[in-house]
Amino acid sequence: MSSNQESGIHFELASVENAEMIADLMHLVQNASVNKDFYVVSSPSRVKWKLETNSFAYLAKDGDRTVGFYIFEMPGLDRNENLGYDINLPDEELKRVLCMDSVAVLPEYRGQGLQRKMAGMISSWPRLTLEIPRALGIFFLPDMTLCS
């Protein structure tokens, strides 16, 4: 990866209209993986549903080309989705959990810290302000708790 490509990377908040492109990127990353079962792919309709209901995503872009994404889920009190139940968080904190749902970066763009940069962007999301960087695999936020 040249430094020109790295300097051309910018980040933006995804919209529902990006759902199909995110699902396509999931397939590209899975197909490039040695162990195809390691990376779970969502359908465009599932990604769209998430972006419409309980999730938001950041895109890493090189010009107009999307080269990565990071989806964060706000599961609320859904026992099937909220990882806070796994560590016995109290109900008040369960309402504030924010979990990593899915993340991918095209192979030719790896090694630039794009996943880390997108994860760090949650503190600049308008509804969130980072309070404590990380404790026991959970990021604590005033209005949300982030499971990693």
Side-chain angles (χ1 to χ4, degrees), residues 54-105:
N54 69 350
S55 301
F56 65 96
Y58 285 109
L59 305 175
K61 300 193 79 160
D62 186 359
D64 290 336
R65 182 181 186 205
T66 301
V67 299
F69 69 86
Y70 206 125
I71 301 174
F72 297 92
E73 179 181 19
M74 300 170 288
L77 296 177
D78 183 339
R79 283 193 171 274
N80 294 322
E81 298 290 330
N82 193 327
L83 299 177
Y85 284 102
D86 295 341
I87 58 171
N88 299 314
L89 285 179
D91 285 349
E92 200 50 43
E93 288 192 29
L94 287 169
K95 296 174 188 173
R96 299 174 22 215
V97 169
L98 177 69
C99 297
M100 183 206 94
D101 179 78
S102 186
V103 62
V105 172

Side-chain angles (χ1 to χ4, degrees), residues 1 9 17-18 21 28 33 44 64 83 87 96 101-102 111-113 119 126 145 147:
M1 185 62 38
I9 302 294
E17 288 76 31
N18 300 124
M21 179 269 311
L28 287 171
S33 298
D64 290 336
L83 299 177
I87 58 171
R96 299 174 22 215
D101 179 78
S102 186
Q112 297 182 42
T145 302
C147 295

Side-chain angles (χ1 to χ4, degrees), residues 1-14:
M1 185 62 38
S2 73
S3 60
N4 286 343
Q5 281 184 309
E6 185 173 351
S7 66
I9 302 294
H10 65 279
F11 304 92
E12 60 187 50
L13 193 60

